[in-house]
Amino acid sequence: MKSLEELAKIKASRREALKIREGIPSATEKAHVMMCGGAGCISSNCKDVVEAMQASLAKNGIADQVQVILTGCMGPCDMGPVAIVYPDATFYRRLKPKDADAIVEEHIMKGNLVPRLLYRAPGAKEPTPKVTDMDLFAKQKKIVLRNNFYIDPTNIEDYIANDGYVALGKALTAMTPAEVVEEVKKAGIRGRGGAGFSTGMKWSFCAASKGTPKYVVCNGDEGDPGAFMDRSVLEGDPHSIIEGMAICGRAIGAEQGYVYVRAEYPLAIDRLSYAIDKAREYGLLGKNIFDTGFNFEIEIRIGAGAFVCGEETALLTSIEGKRGEPKPRPPFPANEGVWAKPTVLNNVETWANIAEIILKGADWYSSIGTAGSKGTKVFALAGRINNTGIVEVPMGTTLREIVYEIGGGIPRKKAFKAVQTGGPSGGCIPAEQLDTPIDFESLTALGAMMGSGGMIVMDEDTCMVDIAKFFMDFIVDESCGKCSPCRIGTKRMLEILERITTGKGKEGDIELLLELGNTIKSTALCGLGQTAPNPILSTIKYFRDEYESHIKENKCAAKVCEFVE
Amino acid sequence: MINLTIDNRKVAVEEGSTILEAAKSVGINIPTLCYLKDINVIGACRICLVDVKGARTFIPSCVAPVSEGMVVNTHTPNLIKARKLVLELILSDHPMECLTCKRNGNCELQKLAEEFGLSEIRFEGAKTEYPIDDSSPALIRDPRKCILCRRCISVCTNIQSVQALTVENRGFNSLVAPAFNEKLANMECVQCGQCSLVCPTGAIVEQDDTDKVWAALADPKKHVVVQTAPATRVQIGETIGAEPGTIATGQMVAGLRSLGFDKVFDTDFSADLTILEEGNELLQRVTTGGVLPMITSCSPGWIKFIEHFYPDLLPHLSTCKSPQQMFGALAKTYYAQKEGIDPKDIYSVSIMPCTAKKYECQRPEMFSSGYQDVDVVLTTRELGRMFKQSGMSMTNLPEEEYDAPLGISTGAGELFGASGGVMEAALRTVYEVVTGKELEDINFTACRGITGVKEATVNVGDLPVSVAITNGLGNARKVLDKIRAGEAGYHFIEVMCCPGGCIGGGGSPIPTNLDVRLKRIDAVYTEDERMVLRKSHQNPAVQDLYAEFLEKPLGHKSHELLHTHYTERDHYPKEEC
């Protein structure tokens, strides 16, 4: 890629070809069927549906007038396989190969909807055919997931059609590195990996750091149980990561990037590595990008399954090929990161925001969200909720809006009990806090955490002690074992919880859990250990009565725990 | 300089100092456990935590650098409580076998528990259960006692560059072990025992062979002889509480005799002999175009290291056996003949500052007398234990002399205990043998000290002899890489496996740290100066040995008894197919 003009040409021609996805009927094409190709829909056999669809199109002789495209994750995973048929943006769900003929012959050829495959809101009689009318999507604001309905993740020109790589061009040709850093700082974006540190500050520290060479790293080691936001971006819009990282490379003076992806995400690895090859082919990675003398390369590093490798120092150590274990900070990665060189490490979701910030400006970005937390946040909704899947909302949206409006409420008329955010590092938020606007501060104040964005909804049938045990069991499995409070302390907490949930709890166990929890928080080496007690501490804080009834009365109100006599 | 406040006291320290160092500079001691100065600085145990104003969590003082205006408190009530709980957790996963542990009374964990005043362990739950690995002749690993401080890994990896130990598994199941939890004996472990010196608990200890020695002493049919390594006399005092650097040669001899050894001999004797054999080997290589540089072969950990990691350089090794094994071969031949004792009745014990010697004496090459030349090796620590078991107060014994002939030695032989000593002893002899002139100053100070790689050039007649001296295998590796690259223009290299040389060996009293090593080194040179004879070729017993038995250095008998060959070894055990 030699110039912005060259990029603009590709964009213009491709955009023309994709008009139909914006709802504008085309003279040559009847429809684009965007079939969700996220890992969830793939496991419910969306590829068979695609095949059936293509067979049906061929049978009806219109194969050349309809494109069937596998996209990234669209979000409503429990309805999968789902598809959107353009130009009219009709949303179909729970598709089976046998439904292909109906969609092709009725919808595409005759213009009739197929009612049995349409979405119905919980409790509603009438279906909601248009995707843009669905509650699930109406309250969402898509920045990170901007392309997931729109593009074929394996087609770089689709990405370019939606302004892809324009921000990189702008950063390289119209801005100084310092201006790029300043823009990101001004946007107010905070790291989406969990801790919420200012991304712009991080970049500025690294830019100011003396060592060379510098590195740009993407943390794609998403490991919270029930969280799959980053996977959906890597699978659905890999170029947004590449572009964000290259912009950072320009800003801090780095020429090499690494994307660390967990091995459990084979599709993400495939799509990303294909995208890297394509970007190289188009001259958007490699030497002399946009003819500015800027060089940037990206390599993928595949994790081996340890949760702790999502912790930044452990991740960087793992990139070096060593046992993935955290190191004390300082030194911070901005000064001594991978190969002991200055490194910017951001999470997938953070990277996906960068190009939009550079393209549309810090003022636009910072107008979204709350005073302290700008932009949007992607959550993975799971648990006892009607619409499970991926949602993206502006910071400041309340839990109630997410659970009841976007998530469609609790199934089978059960009562809402709590929502767990932030995965094993987070905590449980009770019903009385449902109207809390979600941002970094408010969640921490509640004893929970933004974390990477896992959100698990629980109803009255959930035992909170059992939930705490579940997360502690996970942590005990995933503790690296380097520092003693985490290695031994979490094991002891789990043992106490096992005691309580089997009717062997003792007077004083709650106090011991609190003492252990608070001490581990203040003594453990890394973020994993320091936050590991949160699920226990927050459930004791809000649901202490459940612990007490387990210990004193051998009673589990939710009837989850089985007491052994 | 950085200014900070610790416990309400103003402190100024150099930039880059840690909080721990800053506190120490004003006499404030922060408790530590995994930390070991210059070796293991990883902030893992969380005992050395301090309260730093404004910090979200407690801060590990051993790794945290100071910053301007920092306000540190080292003993708030909350901090004391947190440290105590961390220690309680560590102890909740510890076998509590203190009374029967080799490190009873000399255990850092035990000491912390005493200082913290822990009265109860409130956690009853799982404990680490892994089998004991006693496969190695030198060392025993008991993972149950391991607190995962990783000092052993650090010393093995960073100082010795052997990397025989690593962390396996994770979380509560973490285990320090050779890769793939292989047995130590099957690995490239060189059995140097540095891990046993740094272990704060009893998780890695020497194989205890004292029972074998007690049994031999009790056997009336056995003629039990003992040799004591040069370093042992400057170490043994520490096992009964003497200051590091105490010389206890005469007391140790008296003590050994009192334990019942029939003859108390000295490895210093065979060290002198080594100089004659090795010095002549060097001259032969120089004059006949042999493989140079020649490298010393006294240190069995070093021998195993080169066999595993640099087998292509084996021709550089001197073929001389170590002094221990030269002694062993002569005790059951020359001495047996001279005294008219059937060698099968001789039980040969050696006292060494070394764990690898336990391995060396069992090597198949070490049966030159027709029997195992050295039957058993005790470390200095084990000899200290025997003295304690006997109830003997060694320090109160009147000094006694070694027995003739294998106990007669020179100061040069004694030098073998410190890094650079073999080289200095060799130079004293080679110079005089080659030039026929007497040395004006026999102190080759360039050879001395604890620096990792020392170099010197000494004019021996017309020949400028270029030498190098290394201690610690990581330093040996540097010189070996130079040889491989063809960049090492030395004639002769002394390599000692352990930092500081044998006085810092893996069988030394604990603690053995830099400070202690330096004091023992000083003692070695003091002992050298006390000797009447200080050059190996002047040793009358060695002269007699050649006259009566060996005939000449590098002669037929020498080759049979005093020289050896080496074995190429793999890094990892080969699978049986």
Side-chain angles (χ1 to χ4, degrees):
Chain A
M1 194 67 60
K2 289 290 161 215
S3 65
L4 278 169
E5 290 70 44
E6 194 185 335
L7 186 73
K9 255 186 225 158
I10 300 174
K11 178 186 162 183
S13 90
R14 187 63 189 163
R15 184 122 203 161
E16 191 57 33
L18 299 186
K19 265 185 161 170
I20 191 167
R21 296 183 204 167
E22 290 164 48
I24 302 163
S26 147
T28 54
E29 289 184 306
K30 285 187 184 302
H32 283 189
V33 178
M34 309 303 281
M35 173 69 66
C36 176
C41 286
I42 284 185
S43 20
S44 43
N45 304 320
C46 68
K47 285 184 172 168
D48 294 347
V49 182
V50 170
E51 239 170 68
M53 193 90 67
Q54 271 153 350
S56 181
L57 291 168
K59 184 174 72 184
N60 288 289
I62 54 167
D64 56 341
Q65 297 164 49
V66 178
Q67 289 187 34
V68 183
I69 291 171
L70 220 45
T71 68
C73 176
M74 291 182 177
C77 303
D78 64 312
M79 303 182 206
V82 301
I84 302 172
V85 181
Y86 288 109
D88 39 357
T90 305
F91 180 85
Y92 287 113
R93 59 176 186 164
R94 299 214 173 90
L95 297 174
K96 297 267 179 310
K98 65 180 170 51
D99 299 323
D101 279 345
I103 291 178
V104 170
E105 288 162 15
E106 284 301 313
H107 184 131
I108 296 175
M109 296 178 70
K110 297 184 190 155
N112 299 328
L113 296 174
V114 186
R116 66 183 169 86
L117 299 174
L118 293 172
Y119 168 76
R120 281 176 178 76
K125 289 226 162 57
E126 291 305 308
T128 315
K130 255 178 111 80
V131 67
T132 43
D133 294 336
M134 290 165 64
D135 277 350
L136 175 62
F137 296 113
K139 281 249 168 188
Q140 296 196 40
K141 174 156 186 69
K142 307 239 179 202
I143 298 175
V144 172
L145 302 174
R146 59 190 178 273
N147 286 325
N148 273 26
F149 286 6
Y150 184 77
I151 67 166
D152 173 355
T154 61
N155 188 332
I156 188 172
E157 295 198 359
D158 274 21
Y159 179 73
I160 291 171
N162 205 15
D163 284 333
Y165 290 107
V166 177
L168 176 61
K170 185 177 168 186
L172 289 181
T173 59
M175 296 170 85
T176 65
E179 283 167 353
V180 176
V181 173
E182 197 46 41
E183 199 69 15
V184 175
K185 220 191 251 180
K186 233 173 80 188
I189 180 172
R190 297 169 61 175
R192 299 300 195 243
F197 190 78
S198 157
T199 303
M201 294 293 281
K202 205 185 248 188
W203 290 23
S204 68
F205 293 151
C206 191
S209 185
K210 293 273 184 289
T212 52
K214 296 178 181 178
Y215 295 96
V216 177
V217 179
C218 171
N219 183 348
D221 192 53
E222 182 174 52
D224 288 3
F228 47 103
M229 300 77 58
D230 294 346
R231 188 185 69 198
S232 73
V233 177
L234 288 167
E235 290 174 358
D237 197 10
H239 287 284
S240 68
I241 308 301
I242 297 170
E243 189 179 3
M245 291 175 72
I247 290 170
C248 179
R250 163 70 167 173
I252 65 160
E255 296 194 340
Q256 177 67 50
Y258 295 103
V259 182
Y260 189 91
V261 194
R262 59 197 302 229
E264 295 89 332
Y265 284 180
L267 182 62
I269 294 165
D270 277 359
R271 295 227 174 120
L272 181 66
S273 78
Y274 185 78
I276 290 171
D277 289 346
K278 282 290 155 186
R280 209 175 281 135
E281 201 178 289
Y282 277 67
L284 293 160
L285 283 177
K287 299 267 180 227
N288 196 22
I289 300 166
F290 282 108
D291 203 21
T292 56
F294 173 66
N295 310 323
F296 197 73
E297 265 302 338
I298 292 180
E299 261 181 52
I300 297 178
R301 292 292 164 112
I302 299 172
F307 176 67
V308 74
C309 286
E311 195 278 343
E312 63 175 7
T313 58
L315 184 147
L316 297 173
T317 310
S318 179
I319 285 180
E320 294 173 1
K322 299 176 190 149
R323 179 180 164 97
E325 276 182 350
K327 290 185 211 160
R329 299 175 304 182
F332 288 93
N335 294 316
E336 279 181 42
V338 71
W339 318 116
K341 298 295 181 187
T343 301
V344 160
L345 171 68
N346 283 125
N347 143 286
V348 166
E349 189 181 333
T350 313
W351 289 121
N353 276 293
I354 297 301
E356 285 289 276
I357 290 172
I358 297 301
L359 190 67
K360 298 183 179 164
D363 293 339
W364 163 79
Y365 191 82
S366 62
S367 70
I368 304 158
T370 64
S373 304
K374 301 299 183 192
T376 59
K377 180 75 194 87
V378 183
F379 290 100
L381 270 183
R384 307 277 170 82
I385 188 159
N386 277 313
N387 303 328
T388 61
I390 293 286
V391 303
E392 181 175 1
V393 293
M395 293 281 192
T397 306
T398 66
L399 277 170
R400 188 182 301 281
E401 287 171 295
I402 296 180
V403 172
Y404 286 98
E405 296 179 27
I406 298 171
I410 315 295
R412 288 174 290 140
K413 299 199 172 127
K414 293 279 183 181
F416 170 90
K417 187 173 199 174
V419 58
Q420 209 279 352
T421 69
S425 307
C428 292
I429 301 168
E432 52 270 31
Q433 307 291 349
L434 264 177
D435 291 310
T436 307
I438 298 170
D439 64 13
F440 286 104
E441 281 76 20
S442 66
L443 288 178
T444 307
L446 292 175
M449 199 184 171
M450 180 75 81
S452 57
M455 196 173 265
I456 299 170
V457 179
M458 301 162 202
D459 68 11
E460 55 192 298
D461 291 342
T462 312
C463 168
M464 300 314 284
V465 189
D466 182 63
I467 285 295
K469 190 179 77 174
F470 168 82
F471 281 110
M472 199 42 67
D473 192 42
F474 179 84
I475 286 292
V476 167
D477 249 11
E478 296 294 342
S479 165
C480 78
K482 184 170 178 179
C483 78
S484 9
C486 181
R487 180 181 71 244
I488 312 169
T490 57
K491 176 81 173 172
R492 298 298 174 233
M493 292 185 93
L494 176 63
E495 285 167 347
I496 295 171
L497 290 174
E498 280 168 345
R499 205 151 79 197
I500 297 175
T501 52
T502 50
K504 294 175 190 145
K506 291 192 284 202
E507 199 71 45
D509 274 353
I510 298 176
E511 290 70 24
L512 197 53
L513 283 174
L514 289 171
E515 186 188 340
L516 267 173
N518 288 319
T519 305
I520 294 169
K521 269 174 90 99
S522 62
T523 59
L525 192 157
C526 80
L528 186 152
Q530 287 164 12
T531 56
N534 283 351
I536 293 184
L537 294 175
S538 70
T539 47
I540 294 181
K541 181 173 173 187
Y542 297 115
F543 304 96
R544 190 174 177 128
D545 56 326
E546 291 195 31
Y547 282 82
E548 282 169 354
S549 67
H550 277 75
I551 295 170
K552 292 180 186 159
E553 302 159 39
N554 269 10
K555 204 177 119 197
C556 173
K559 299 193 173 59
V560 172
C561 301
E562 287 177 21
F563 297 121
V564 208
E565 287 309 315
Chain B
M1 296 297 266
I2 302 286
N3 299 293
L4 69 159
T5 309
I6 305 181
D7 296 343
N8 298 319
R9 291 161 67 179
K10 301 275 175 228
V11 185
V13 286
E14 272 182 49
E15 192 175 350
S17 307
T18 61
I19 297 175
L20 184 72
E21 289 160 347
K24 205 169 177 200
S25 75
V26 291
I28 297 171
N29 276 321
I30 300 169
T32 58
L33 186 54
C34 68
Y35 171 80
L36 196 61
K37 192 170 183 295
D38 303 327
I39 292 174
N40 197 48
V41 187
I42 60 172
C45 74
R46 318 308 278 183
I47 289 292
C48 74
L49 296 170
V50 293
D51 188 325
V52 175
K53 199 173 169 188
R56 200 167 38 84
T57 61
F58 293 132
I59 301 296
S61 60
C62 72
V63 287
V66 294
S67 61
E68 188 63 34
M70 194 179 236
V71 178
V72 179
N73 200 313
T74 70
H75 50 63
T76 66
N78 281 341
L79 192 54
I80 299 284
K81 207 175 150 197
R83 281 191 201 139
K84 252 176 120 161
L85 183 60
V86 171
L87 185 64
E88 187 182 345
L89 286 170
I90 294 171
L91 290 175
S92 77
D93 184 27
H94 197 72
M96 303 295 191
E97 295 167 2
C98 301
L99 297 184
T100 51
C101 179
K102 286 271 172 313
R103 295 291 298 274
N104 187 16
N106 187 13
C107 166
E108 294 177 47
L109 186 64
Q110 197 179 43
K111 186 161 166 280
L112 270 188
E114 188 265 321
E115 284 172 2
F116 282 24
L118 275 185
S119 51
E120 179 193 19
I121 308 296
R122 291 168 295 171
F123 308 106
E124 47 198 63
K127 287 196 177 194
T128 300
E129 286 294 343
Y130 285 107
I132 290 172
D133 175 7
D134 59 359
S135 62
S136 144
L139 296 158
I140 302 179
R141 292 190 313 109
D142 185 349
R144 301 171 313 134
K145 293 180 182 172
C146 175
I147 57 165
L148 291 149
C149 71
R150 307 188 182 195
R151 287 178 181 181
C152 54
I153 297 176
S154 295
V155 83
C156 190
T157 304
N158 303 333
I159 306 293
Q160 297 298 62
S161 74
V162 170
Q163 236 172 324
L165 294 170
T166 181
V167 187
E168 309 267 309
N169 307 332
R170 67 186 182 203
F172 193 78
N173 299 323
S174 297
L175 164 70
V176 171
F180 310 113
N181 201 10
E182 185 52 75
K183 296 258 189 243
L184 207 51
N186 299 338
M187 298 302 288
E188 67 271 57
C189 166
V190 302
Q191 327 232 9
C192 72
Q194 286 299 311
C195 50
S196 70
L197 282 187
V198 298
C199 180
T201 71
I204 306 185
V205 295
E206 69 284 353
Q207 285 275 10
D208 188 321
D209 291 309
T210 53
D211 282 350
K212 291 180 193 163
V213 177
W214 284 120
L217 289 171
D219 186 343
K221 292 198 289 286
K222 293 283 182 207
H223 179 78
V224 188
V225 300
V226 63
Q227 57 169 319
T228 63
T232 51
R233 67 211 69 198
V234 301
Q235 293 186 330
I236 189 70
E238 292 168 43
T239 64
I240 48 166
E243 280 302 304
T246 303
I247 300 171
T249 315
Q251 289 93 338
M252 179 170 72
V253 172
L256 287 165
R257 213 164 265 140
S258 168
L259 285 176
F261 286 97
D262 294 300
K263 292 286 177 184
V264 181
F265 292 138
D266 198 356
T267 317
D268 286 15
F269 161 83
S270 48
D272 282 334
L273 178 61
T274 301
I275 290 301
L276 291 179
E277 290 292 327
E278 202 161 275
N280 279 292
E281 185 186 355
L282 176 66
L283 291 174
Q284 193 181 59
R285 289 194 189 211
V286 171
T287 52
T288 63
V291 177
L292 290 174
M294 186 178 89
I295 315 178
T296 61
S297 54
C298 310
S299 173
W302 148 242
I303 297 301
K304 193 158 185 280
F305 179 85
I306 187 173
E307 288 177 331
H308 280 296
F309 296 101
Y310 293 84
D312 51 311
L313 300 184
L314 284 173
H316 288 270
L317 274 185
S318 161
T319 58
C320 286
K321 285 182 183 170
S322 70
Q324 162 175 288
Q325 294 305 142
M326 286 197 184
F327 179 98
L330 291 174
K332 292 191 182 182
T333 53
Y334 171 62
Y335 171 74
Q337 279 175 31
K338 203 172 160 82
E339 297 295 313
I341 304 169
D342 187 339
K344 81 170 167 33
D345 294 330
I346 294 180
Y347 194 79
S348 182
V349 177
S350 83
I351 313 295
M352 294 282 143
C354 182
T355 47
K357 290 281 174 193
K358 288 177 184 278
Y359 157 79
E360 183 189 38
C361 78
Q362 300 181 4
R363 287 181 65 126
E365 302 91 344
M366 302 303 165
F367 287 69
S368 313
S369 62
Y371 303 91
Q372 182 169 332
D373 296 331
V374 172
D375 292 288
V376 70
V377 174
L378 298 184
T379 60
T380 311
R381 296 197 289 271
E382 289 163 274
L383 178 60
R385 209 170 287 143
M386 283 186 77
F387 283 142
K388 276 189 186 159
Q389 286 167 359
S390 71
M392 186 193 308
S393 175
M394 189 196 76
T395 35
N396 294 336
L397 294 176
E399 294 188 36
E400 290 181 18
E401 295 285 327
Y402 283 102
D403 289 307
L406 306 187
I408 294 169
S409 67
T410 73
E414 176 57 22
L415 293 183
F416 275 55
S419 164
V422 177
M423 185 59 72
E424 183 167 352
L427 289 173
R428 287 179 187 177
T429 289
V430 168
Y431 182 90
E432 296 200 351
V433 167
V434 170
T435 63
K437 282 189 274 186
E438 194 174 335
L439 272 170
E440 282 175 25
D441 181 4
I442 67 165
N443 298 313
F444 289 88
T445 49
C447 297
R448 301 182 182 182
I450 203 155
T451 308
V453 180
K454 293 170 276 189
E455 291 173 324
T457 303
V458 177
N459 288 318
V460 178
D462 301 333
L463 180 69
V465 176
S466 171
V467 304
I469 298 153
T470 74
N471 65 90
L473 292 172
N475 294 315
R477 193 178 275 276
K478 290 177 198 163
V479 172
L480 293 174
D481 287 339
K482 269 173 103 173
I483 298 177
R484 261 190 189 164
E487 293 162 5
Y490 311 112
H491 295 94
F492 192 27
I493 301 171
E494 177 199 303
V495 175
M496 288 296 157
C497 170
C498 292
C502 303
I503 50 83
S508 306
I510 297 170
T512 291
N513 52 38
L514 178 61
D515 193 42
V516 170
R517 284 184 162 102
L518 291 173
K519 286 179 178 158
R520 291 179 190 154
I521 289 173
D522 282 349
V524 165
Y525 292 108
T526 306
E527 186 71 348
D528 166 39
E529 280 166 22
R530 283 198 336 193
M531 304 292 277
V532 183
L533 297 174
R534 295 176 63 193
K535 299 165 195 163
S536 298
H537 54 284
Q538 293 173 338
N539 184 326
V542 171
Q543 289 167 353
D544 288 352
L545 170 68
Y546 279 112
E548 294 168 14
F549 187 69
L550 292 175
E551 293 174 15
K552 58 173 188 187
L554 308 183
H556 176 67
K557 268 223 161 68
S558 286
H559 272 292
E560 208 173 274
L561 296 174
L562 309 183
H563 289 257
T564 185
H565 58 273
Y566 305 104
T567 308
E568 191 169 324
R569 294 176 200 276
D570 287 312
H571 279 214
Y572 303 104
K574 280 206 170 136
E575 301 248 351
E576 302 274 328
C577 298

